[in-house]
Amino acid sequence: MDLAELLKVAEAAVDRGRVVTDSRAPGVLTSKGDRDMASEVDFAVEREVRAFLERETPEIGVLGEEEGGATDGTRWVLDPIDGTVNFIHGVPLWGISLGLIHEGRAVAGVIDHPALGTRYAAAEGHGATCNRKPIRGSECTDLSDALVAVGDYAVGPDPDRVNAERLALTQLLYPRAQRIRMIGTAATALTWTAAGHFDATIMFSNKPWDTMAGVSICREAGVVVLDLDGSQHAPESRGTFAVSAGLADPLLELIAQTVA
């Protein structure tokens, strides 16, 4: 695959999504379950980006968060608005996230933050950039110096059980890390880890539209990306752990104490 060319396609597709986010308010909200929703803009961006990708790369499937699609093979994975709750509340931490999976691996990604004016992009073997400038992850080796992002607490069915691991990790982290952050968007947390702003991001989830673009960007920025058991991250991984190499082992020890 010519990943450099496909990255250009991805950027052009995200450009079209950006036109939608720049011109529309969130509009009517559609409930997706307990305290989870999609806005009109989520659907509009997904349809615009999907239509473009289907024209430009008809041989590659498309999986979108809101309307589904391809679940295997080489495929684009799209979150039209990652951080919808932030978006509808006017918090500028949200983004359009478009990744490419090939042979069971995240190989390219574009994450655009319209409200922040930043775009992150990467393709395997071509490095990672923010606004066209190369980025590298943190070199932190001491957990007491580390700024660690964690994924959102879950909503929906049986939240107490689902959140037990997240709460246990927080209990272990707060006396050890310099600070903990929860920002409400996996895409942004992963790009900020790729750029070295966060020293690690730990998420007890791995929805491909949330993570695949960010995983590709992190890897190309020299960040280690693992599943919660320390194995290499893959689309089917249980969770997503992006970390400075020097912090991987001590954080894996803490994660192992919390995972049932």
Side-chain angles (χ1 to χ4, degrees):
M1 300 186 76
D2 189 337
L3 292 178
E5 287 302 312
L6 288 172
L7 184 60
K8 293 178 183 177
V9 172
E11 292 219 53
V14 170
D15 284 343
R16 283 154 175 78
R18 176 81 177 259
V19 170
V20 176
T21 65
D22 286 348
S23 62
R24 296 182 60 168
V28 175
L29 304 180
T30 300
S31 174
K32 296 166 63 177
D34 176 36
R35 291 168 288 165
D36 191 15
M37 70 287 294
S39 72
E40 287 183 14
V41 173
D42 288 78
F43 288 102
V45 171
E46 182 162 321
R47 290 165 184 165
E48 180 69 24
V49 172
R50 184 191 297 274
F52 177 80
L53 293 172
E54 289 175 347
R55 289 195 305 270
E56 296 297 314
T57 56
E59 72 283 4
I60 299 176
V62 182
L63 172 64
E65 178 179 11
E66 307 306 338
E67 297 185 336
T71 58
D72 57 16
T74 300
R75 60 202 181 277
W76 298 106
V77 285
L78 170 67
D79 193 336
I81 301 287
D82 186 73
T84 297
V85 172
N86 288 347
F87 175 65
I88 63 177
H89 283 274
V91 177
L93 300 181
W94 54 273
I96 304 168
S97 179
L98 179 62
L100 179 64
I101 297 172
H102 178 61
E103 295 182 346
R105 181 177 174 84
V107 294
V110 176
I111 297 174
D112 191 273
H113 299 106
L116 301 178
T118 54
R119 174 173 293 189
Y120 294 82
E124 192 170 78
H126 295 274
T129 61
C130 175
N131 292 349
R132 307 293 180 188
K133 296 180 180 179
I135 56 173
R136 295 292 293 177
S138 164
E139 296 182 0
C140 182
T141 59
D142 189 334
L143 187 53
S144 66
D145 294 329
L147 184 60
V148 180
V150 296
D152 276 359
Y153 295 125
V155 297
D158 199 9
D160 290 343
R161 179 189 61 79
V162 174
N163 284 320
E165 294 172 337
R166 294 162 168 83
L167 289 164
L169 179 65
T170 301
Q171 289 286 333
L172 291 172
L173 271 178
Y174 83 77
R176 294 172 171 84
Q178 186 177 65
R179 291 291 190 278
I180 302 170
R181 296 288 182 261
M182 181 184 291
I183 63 172
T185 155
T188 305
L190 289 168
T191 58
W192 286 3
T193 304
H197 306 317
F198 291 149
D199 301 295
T201 290
I202 306 169
M203 293 180 284
F204 286 83
S205 62
N206 180 41
K207 296 175 182 176
W209 46 81
D210 287 340
T211 59
M212 291 297 103
V215 166
S216 175
I217 293 165
C218 279
R219 283 180 175 148
E220 286 300 300
V223 174
V224 176
V225 189
L226 305 170
D227 197 351
L228 300 179
D229 62 1
S231 61
Q232 288 297 308
H233 189 273
E236 63 274 10
S237 291
R238 175 186 174 184
T240 306
F241 175 37
V243 61
S244 162
L247 294 175
D249 288 343
L251 282 173
L252 281 170
E253 289 178 8
L254 297 183
I255 293 169
Q257 295 178 51
T258 67
V259 175

